């Protein structure tokens, strides 16, 4: 199996696991900040929604579109569209990203991409949206376990 095929399949599986965990949260707890200071589950999902396009752009061009200064504004813009829109963006983003991965040339995976925090290979960039979904799935599980605290 090619690495890109593995990542493409894992992206879709991880997306399903993430959405299952998100939907296990009571609806009223998806938009509130746990403890009043942490990020809300919807905010985490908005971040995930925007990561697919960022990773696809990095893999195709080798350059970051925009800057990290744009991150918070983009995040707020996506989150403000509401839960249904954010979840739809995750569904479509994961599907598109998986297609890009399946067609991505394996020999380009070792090419380097310059990022604000240092260089990474395109293979690392390809894994980032998947890793990010798993990370936030863990955070969502923690929020769920806190109950009404």
């Amino acid at each position: 199996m090619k690495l890109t095929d593995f990542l493409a399949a894992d992206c879709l599986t991880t997306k399903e696991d993430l959405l299952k965990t998100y939907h296990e949260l009571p609806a009223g707890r998806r938009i509130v900040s746990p403890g009043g200071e942490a990020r809300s589950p919807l905010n985490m999902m908005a971040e995930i929604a925007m990561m697919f396009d960022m990773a696809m752009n990095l893999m195709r061009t080798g350059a970051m579109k925009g800057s990290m200064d744009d991150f918070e504004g983009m995040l707020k813009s996506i989150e403000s569209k509401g839960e249904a829109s954010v979840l739809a963006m995750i569904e479509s983003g994961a599907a598109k990203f998986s297609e890009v991965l399946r067609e991505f040339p394996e020999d380009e995976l070792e090419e380097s991409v310059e990022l604000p925090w240092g260089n990474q290979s395109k293979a690392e960039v390809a894994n980032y949206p998947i890793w990010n979904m798993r990370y936030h799935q863990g955070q969502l599980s923690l929020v769920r376990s806190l109950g009404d605290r």
Side-chain angles (χ1 to χ4, degrees), residues 7-77:
L7 290 170
D10 193 36
C11 180
L12 296 176
T13 301
T14 301
K15 183 247 330 168
E16 290 300 321
D17 293 345
L18 171 78
L19 293 175
K20 179 180 181 284
T21 301
Y22 181 78
H23 288 296
E24 289 171 351
L25 287 170
R29 296 203 31 235
R30 296 176 191 163
I31 58 171
V32 297
S33 166
E37 295 179 22
R39 294 172 61 192
S40 72
L42 182 59
N43 181 269
M44 294 177 214
M45 299 298 274
E47 176 189 319
I48 291 164
M50 68 186 218
M51 286 299 134
F52 298 111
D53 282 340
M54 291 176 77
M56 283 187 280
N57 181 65
L58 279 166
M59 291 178 70
R60 288 177 176 149
T61 68
M64 196 164 166
K65 186 178 176 182
S67 72
M68 289 306 291
D69 296 335
D70 301 331
F71 181 82
E72 285 300 322
M74 292 185 323
L75 185 60
K76 287 179 183 177
S77 174

Side-chain angles (χ1 to χ4, degrees), residues 62-122:
M64 196 164 166
K65 186 178 176 182
S67 72
M68 289 306 291
D69 296 335
D70 301 331
F71 181 82
E72 285 300 322
M74 292 185 323
L75 185 60
K76 287 179 183 177
S77 174
I78 292 169
E79 186 178 10
S80 72
K81 294 177 182 179
E83 182 182 58
S85 179
V86 170
L87 297 179
M89 287 177 70
I90 291 171
E91 289 280 2
S92 65
K96 282 188 251 177
F97 189 62
S98 291
E99 288 174 28
V100 166
L101 288 170
R102 281 191 184 91
E103 296 177 14
F104 196 79
E106 289 268 325
D107 60 333
E108 291 182 27
L109 289 174
E110 292 307 314
E111 290 180 8
S112 185
V113 175
E114 187 176 330
L115 298 167
W117 50 87
N119 292 346
Q120 290 187 311
S121 70
K122 288 185 179 181

